[in-house]
Amino acid sequence: MLTFNNHYPDQPAAINIKTERLFYLFLIIAFCVSVLLLFVWIETSNEYHGFDWWLTFGLSLKVFAPYVHLSCITVMVLLSYPVAFYLVTLEQEAAQVAIGLPFIFILLCLCVVPWGYYSPCLVEKNKLGPKPGLFGHRGAPMMAPENTIMSFEKAVENRAFGLESDVYMSIDGVPFLMHDHDLRRTTNIMEVMPNSSRTQSSFFYWSFLSTLNAGKWFVDSWRQPFHNLKPLSEADKEKARKQTIPKLSDLLKLAKQAKKYVIFDLNGPPPKHPFRNTYVRHLVEVMLDTKIDQHLIYWLHGFDRYYVKQKAPGFQQVGRLRPIEELKRENISIINVDYKRLFYNGLRDYKAADITINLYIVNEPWVFSLAWCSRIHSVTTDNIELLSQIDYPYYAMTPRYYMFMWLFLDILSAIFIFIVFYFHWWRESQREKVFESSSSYTGNVRDPPHCYSCPQDMGSALHVSDKC
């Protein structure tokens, strides 16, 4: 008995189906990973010195929720092609349910999800609040060495609402501008006096502090303070290399001339410092000697606040995020708050109580846009050059336009998904017709190979089976 070594007509198609399934699986995984990496990059771009994942993630949804919703509808439309392919080609009903049911459930959720969230960036143009004012954080630290006169001048040039800094007290009672507790990062003390480089800056005399260079690190250092700094012009490089540590009175003179507000973090002297217990009173006297308009001062420091109110009643008292009743009791009408606190009800209770809000540190346009749409009064920023150029909040849209896009994409996606599913059903039915026609011609190929009796002289032309 002889048997023919037949090739089944559906075998190449089966191989192609397995290849397509594997391709679609990797395509979906690659797409999801790419979106995740892009989102993480956008989320962390505002955080140069730290990142709180959950709060920043929640805040981003307040801005991007409408766009995420519309993008998810588009993604589901794209995924409908491989999903329809699997549903049509899979033979196990359990697998079809496992793939099809979640897909349909997500589509239904996307159709109604806009009714379940609130975004402050869905706002009518006539209801949008004024643009928040910009406090230059240590001046304009992305354009010049931080806490130098050059940096504050750059902030003024970029229409800063106010100037923010950090103040220490020298051992001989001169308030000066410095963020770090020592001088290593932003001065050349490692070259001048390396053995004292770790000494707290408040233990140096002003006569020594005034000789240190506070700008070369910004120009010549291989480690830039920000990852997206623009190249400086040669004139700015030369000017930056000549910067020194400024006194607080130098900043107040600039603010007085430019009529800019001033807010600063006051760092109390360490133990055994001669001004340990009197630094606030001494500082207020130095500030009043500059003759600056008192209303230009945002007084943030909480220690000895009662004395400050008595000595300088024109200073605007600024508090932290504390209960409204406590703020009212201390007659504080301004608060300085981490921008992530917008996550909690958008600080609406404080705005309703007529409390002015300043957010820190806001560097990215999406965070600034959220603050704008949330009717925040001012923000503190490193990136004053970019934010000063924004004339309308990013990602804001009117509710009517969003409603139109929502309904339009829902209808369009429904039509497209129907076409995709119909196409796969039609293609599979065509394959079955071809398979049935080929089966009728060659026999039932799914049965085991048949044995045929042949003459002995055909043995040389045909494959002889030992089992026949």
Side-chain angles (χ1 to χ4, degrees):
M1 299 295 294
L2 302 177
T3 180
F4 294 100
N5 191 12
N6 294 325
H7 295 283
Y8 302 129
D10 60 335
Q11 189 173 7
I15 295 175
N16 292 335
I17 289 175
K18 292 181 180 178
T19 305
E20 290 182 8
R21 288 178 180 174
L22 187 62
F23 169 77
Y24 286 135
L25 178 62
F26 281 105
L27 180 63
I28 294 172
I29 294 174
F31 174 80
C32 294
V33 172
S34 300
V35 171
L36 178 62
L37 292 176
L38 177 63
F39 186 74
V40 169
W41 176 81
I42 294 174
E43 292 288 300
T44 57
S45 57
N46 187 73
E47 296 293 322
Y48 295 114
H49 305 292
F51 181 56
D52 190 329
W53 168 262
W54 290 111
L55 286 180
T56 308
F57 175 77
L59 275 180
S60 66
L61 290 182
K62 289 180 177 290
V63 179
F64 298 115
Y67 295 89
V68 171
H69 170 232
L70 299 178
S71 300
C72 285
I73 295 177
T74 305
V75 170
M76 293 302 292
V77 170
L78 297 177
L79 291 179
S80 65
Y81 190 90
V83 168
F85 174 80
Y86 278 107
L87 291 178
V88 171
T89 56
L90 288 176
E91 297 180 357
Q92 299 87 354
E93 292 185 1
Q96 291 177 334
V97 172
I99 294 176
L101 192 59
F103 182 80
I104 296 174
F105 177 75
I106 294 174
L107 277 179
L108 293 177
C109 290
L110 290 176
C111 291
V112 299
V113 72
W115 290 324
Y117 66 76
Y118 163 78
S119 173
C121 290
L122 290 177
V123 59
E124 300 289 351
K125 292 183 179 180
N126 58 353
K127 295 183 179 180
L128 186 66
K131 179 180 178 179
L134 301 175
F135 274 94
H137 184 231
R138 310 175 201 170
M142 300 181 74
M143 306 176 68
E146 65 179 57
N147 280 328
T148 62
I149 295 301
M150 177 183 178
S151 182
F152 294 112
E153 288 176 344
K154 289 289 186 181
V156 171
E157 292 173 7
N158 284 273
R159 300 173 292 171
F161 171 78
L163 306 173
E164 188 275 346
S165 187
D166 311 273
V167 177
Y168 280 89
M169 186 81 69
S170 70
I171 198 168
D172 52 342
V174 178
F176 64 94
L177 308 184
M178 179 65 57
H179 175 266
D180 300 356
H181 72 280
D182 60 41
L183 304 168
R184 288 177 297 166
R185 184 174 65 89
T186 58
T187 73
N188 63 336
I189 192 171
M190 292 292 293
E191 302 173 4
V192 178
M193 193 180 294
N195 294 334
S196 301
S197 60
R198 294 182 180 273
T199 303
Q200 291 195 21
S201 57
S202 294
F203 281 121
F204 291 98
Y205 287 93
W206 174 246
S207 58
F208 171 75
L209 293 171
S210 61
T211 63
L212 295 175
N213 185 284
K216 286 183 178 180
W217 69 275
F218 185 82
V219 179
D220 301 333
S221 175
W222 61 269
R223 186 184 67 178
Q224 295 293 338
F226 302 96
H227 65 269
N228 54 348
L229 284 178
K230 292 183 179 180
L232 298 179
S233 65
E234 291 301 323
D236 283 345
K237 287 182 180 179
E238 186 65 25
K239 186 176 181 179
R241 291 190 180 99
K242 297 179 180 179
Q243 294 302 299
T244 58
I245 300 175
K247 296 184 291 185
L248 174 62
S249 58
D250 297 330
L251 171 61
L252 297 182
K253 290 176 183 178
L254 175 62
K256 177 183 177 181
Q257 180 181 0
K259 293 181 171 55
K260 301 297 181 183
Y261 293 96
V262 175
I263 186 172
F264 54 83
D265 287 312
L266 178 57
N267 299 277
K272 299 182 180 180
H273 193 281
F275 291 89
R276 169 70 174 179
N277 299 318
T278 59
Y279 68 98
V280 170
R281 302 190 177 198
H282 179 70
L283 181 71
V284 171
E285 292 178 2
V286 172
M287 296 175 68
L288 294 178
D289 288 342
T290 63
K291 306 300 182 183
I292 189 173
D293 294 337
Q294 291 189 18
H295 77 279
L296 294 178
I297 302 299
Y298 275 34
W299 184 265
L300 180 61
H301 199 59
F303 179 71
D304 215 355
R305 190 185 290 271
Y306 179 78
Y307 170 82
V308 177
K309 290 180 179 179
Q310 297 296 320
K311 189 69 174 179
F315 286 4
Q316 301 194 57
Q317 298 298 318
V318 183
R320 305 289 184 178
L321 189 64
R322 291 151 56 189
I324 296 176
E325 296 76 12
E326 187 176 337
L327 295 173
K328 292 292 186 180
R329 188 166 53 250
E330 297 185 18
N331 198 26
I332 294 176
S333 58
I334 306 173
I335 56 174
N336 192 44
V337 185
D338 188 336
Y339 80 94
K340 301 183 191 70
R341 295 299 175 178
L342 273 178
F343 178 76
Y344 301 107
N345 201 28
L347 301 174
R348 286 198 291 268
D349 295 339
Y350 292 87
K351 289 180 285 186
D354 200 25
I355 293 178
T356 301
I357 301 172
N358 180 71
L359 297 181
Y360 65 90
I361 303 291
V362 175
N363 291 324
E364 287 300 310
W366 74 267
V367 184
F368 181 68
S369 298
L370 176 61
W372 191 342
C373 294
S374 301
R375 303 182 73 89
I376 296 300
H377 304 86
S378 61
V379 301
T380 302
T381 180
D382 297 311
N383 202 359
I384 191 170
E385 182 181 22
L386 174 61
L387 300 190
S388 64
Q389 298 173 2
I390 298 178
D391 297 322
Y392 190 80
Y394 290 8
Y395 314 109
M397 69 171 74
T398 63
R400 182 175 300 180
Y401 176 76
Y402 174 57
M403 181 71 68
F404 167 77
M405 291 299 300
W406 169 28
L407 296 177
F408 174 75
L409 278 181
D410 277 354
I411 296 173
L412 188 63
S413 61
I415 296 174
F416 188 86
I417 290 174
F418 174 80
I419 293 175
V420 167
F421 273 77
Y422 180 81
F423 167 74
H424 280 286
W425 173 83
W426 173 82
R427 189 174 68 169
E428 187 64 19
S429 64
Q430 292 297 113
R431 284 180 176 177
E432 291 180 357
K433 290 180 180 180
V434 172
F435 174 76
E436 291 174 357
S437 62
S438 61
S439 298
S440 63
Y441 179 76
T442 60
N444 189 357
V445 297
R446 295 191 181 274
D447 294 336
H450 296 286
C451 297
Y452 300 89
S453 59
C454 297
Q456 293 295 330
D457 56 354
M458 293 181 65
S460 58
L462 300 176
H463 175 71
V464 180
S465 175
D466 296 334
K467 295 183 181 180
C468 293

